[in-house]
Amino acid sequence: MYRWKRCKSSSARADVIIEWRLVIIDNIVLRPMTMEDQEMVMKWRTLPEITKYMNTDPVIDMDKQRAWFEKQQQDSTCYNWIIVVDDVPVGVTSISKIDKVNRTCTRGTYIAVQEKRSFEMITSVYASQFDFIFDILQLNKIEIEVFLENKNVVFLSKKCGFKQEGILREHIYKNGTYYDIVLLGMTAEDWKERKKNWNYKAVKIII
Amino acid sequence: MDRLIKILQGINPLVLEKKEKIITDSVVDSVDLVEIIGEIEQEFNIEIPIELITPDNFDSVEKMWELIVELM
């Protein structure tokens, strides 16, 4: 199902492109985040439409941003990618808290460049990442926490196969308001079932 | 069909001006599309599987209606 290619990459890990032998969307690639991306990532992360449904509204400068990325690079339990569409960086997608004992992880995505946002793009990125998590990393479960108010992401996550496992009431306090968080989980078996009739197009993932 | 038109009017009235290629020509973005699907499911008490969320089924009001009727 997968084909591996050696490529030049600034990632700390092996230089590999994973290509699915499915229909591939040629113009979308997930490439490893680099130190050179940090100014752009910092700007994206502090956009109001991005921070709205994040747990924190960070006040960051380049020193803090670089320090965060340096820590990420040393952390073997995470992957951070820049989503590139038509050779334009448009967002970030990550896997983190990889737990090899319990075979779980969490994940997140944001698309900062709104004009490049499309249903097909987002769902292809999601689906390809799920394949990576379950088939390449051999994990068993993805767990995510989503603001209850972020109805679109809750809805889309459930469409992709996530199941609601609970609600953490008044779990996040931001700007004088408490927010409920929805706990969603998807097992390898959930994904296997979900993707049965779904002819999603895969994206290239570079690690 | 009136109920569908009311949903579309509330989310993105441009959908009703452009007769076709609503998805293909990005008249609706992914946020609008997810909202449209959510409202359709609630209004018509149906579930739209993700594999049916394609331009073929959502590129015009008529195509959306055909899908709704098929799933009802």
Side-chain angles (χ1 to χ4, degrees), chain A residues 23-206:
Chain A
V23 177
I24 292 177
I25 302 184
D26 282 329
N27 65 326
I28 303 175
V29 174
L30 306 187
R31 64 152 177 82
M33 190 185 283
T34 66
M35 188 57 82
E36 289 70 35
D37 293 321
Q38 295 314 304
E39 189 173 350
M40 174 179 70
V41 171
M42 183 180 73
K43 281 184 188 147
W44 285 349
R45 178 64 179 84
T46 52
L47 289 170
E49 63 265 31
I50 301 298
T51 65
K52 186 178 179 187
Y53 296 124
M54 296 282 205
N55 287 5
T56 59
D57 295 346
V59 177
I60 37 181
D61 55 33
M62 276 310 298
D63 286 338
K64 286 180 185 166
Q65 185 69 31
R66 284 192 205 101
W68 169 82
F69 186 64
E70 274 168 8
K71 206 172 162 191
Q72 291 284 294
Q73 283 187 304
Q74 303 309 315
D75 186 350
S76 62
T77 71
C78 69
Y79 290 80
N80 289 291
W81 290 280
I82 299 293
I83 304 170
V84 180
V85 177
D86 297 326
D87 297 322
V88 175
V90 302
V92 170
T93 189
S94 305
I95 299 170
S96 61
K97 298 182 185 174
I98 296 171
D99 178 342
K100 290 186 180 171
V101 172
N102 296 301
R103 297 172 64 207
T104 62
C105 72
T106 189
R107 64 159 304 282
T109 298
Y110 62 80
I111 309 296
V113 179
Q114 291 190 29
E115 53 269 26
K116 290 290 188 184
R117 203 181 280 167
S118 75
F119 189 83
E120 184 183 59
M121 184 267 276
I122 289 170
T123 51
S124 295
V125 168
Y126 279 15
S128 301
Q129 198 180 62
F130 300 158
D131 280 334
F132 179 76
I133 289 169
F134 293 124
D135 295 338
I136 306 296
L137 296 182
Q138 293 277 294
L139 299 180
N140 183 59
K141 186 180 177 190
I142 306 170
E143 46 197 10
I144 59 175
E145 297 181 5
V146 182
F147 275 54
L148 182 62
E149 287 195 5
N150 196 352
K151 290 185 169 49
N152 285 343
V153 171
V154 174
F155 183 82
L156 189 57
S157 299
K158 288 179 179 177
K159 279 281 176 227
C160 289
F162 280 89
K163 295 186 173 147
Q164 184 163 321
E165 295 184 343
I167 292 183
L168 300 174
R169 296 172 303 125
E170 297 183 0
H171 196 66
I172 297 295
Y173 183 71
K174 259 185 20 167
N175 302 318
T177 304
Y178 287 102
Y179 294 93
D180 293 345
I181 298 294
V182 182
L183 300 176
L184 296 155
M186 179 161 67
T187 65
E189 196 56 37
D190 291 336
W191 177 234
K192 190 178 163 189
E193 194 57 36
R194 177 66 278 213
K195 63 189 270 188
K196 260 185 195 170
N197 298 317
W198 185 11
N199 289 324
Y200 57 88
K201 293 177 186 169
V203 306
K204 287 184 196 174
I205 298 181
I206 303 175

